[in-house]
Amino acid sequence: MNQITYFAEAANGSGGGGGVGSMLSPIILIVAMIAIFYFFMYRPQKKQEKAANDMKNNLEVGDEITTIGGIIGEIVSIKEETCVIETSKDKCKIRILKSAISRVDVHANEK
């Protein structure tokens, strides 16, 4: 009930020092909070997603990768959503999703 009377007094111009200035400050605060949210949360997350997608799209045969589960291996073949990695000297091959790749440790052209 207190907020209703506050807004009614602000709209009528009555009340202790209310008016357009007192109505403008909550709007400015909300806009500032949205800007802070955008610059500190949304934008960095989008940059991180873009970097991860670029890394997964630029995979090459011969890259040494680490999966999210900690498996380290060398890419043997690549398909649309999956790739086959060789994990040891025994030529053990595992088919994994590209989305399971955490990072590229050594690129094929750097060996």
Side-chain angles (χ1 to χ4, degrees):
M1 192 67 175
N2 191 15
Q3 288 180 337
I4 295 171
T5 57
Y6 171 76
F7 288 121
E9 288 176 358
N12 292 333
S14 60
V20 177
S22 65
M23 289 292 288
L24 202 56
S25 65
I27 294 171
I28 292 172
L29 182 63
I30 290 171
V31 169
M33 289 178 68
I34 290 171
I36 289 170
F37 177 77
Y38 175 77
F39 283 109
F40 287 112
M41 295 182 79
Y42 183 75
R43 194 165 162 240
Q45 181 181 3
K46 285 295 180 185
K47 282 177 124 177
Q48 193 175 29
E49 287 176 10
K50 184 180 178 190
N53 285 336
D54 288 344
M55 182 265 305
K56 290 172 186 167
N57 290 333
N58 294 328
L59 290 173
E60 296 176 359
V61 174
D63 286 352
E64 188 174 306
I65 55 120
T66 301
T67 66
I68 293 171
I71 299 171
I72 299 171
E74 185 176 317
I75 296 177
V76 177
S77 69
I78 300 174
K79 293 187 180 175
E80 288 182 28
E81 294 296 318
T82 62
C83 63
V84 177
I85 63 171
E86 191 174 278
T87 60
S88 66
K89 299 290 182 191
D90 298 332
K91 308 281 185 192
C92 179
K93 295 181 181 174
I94 301 174
R95 193 174 103 197
I96 61 169
L97 292 172
K98 282 185 177 181
S99 60
I101 296 173
S102 172
R103 66 177 188 254
V104 177
D105 298 325
V106 180
H107 290 283
N109 55 6
E110 294 176 1
K111 290 183 178 182

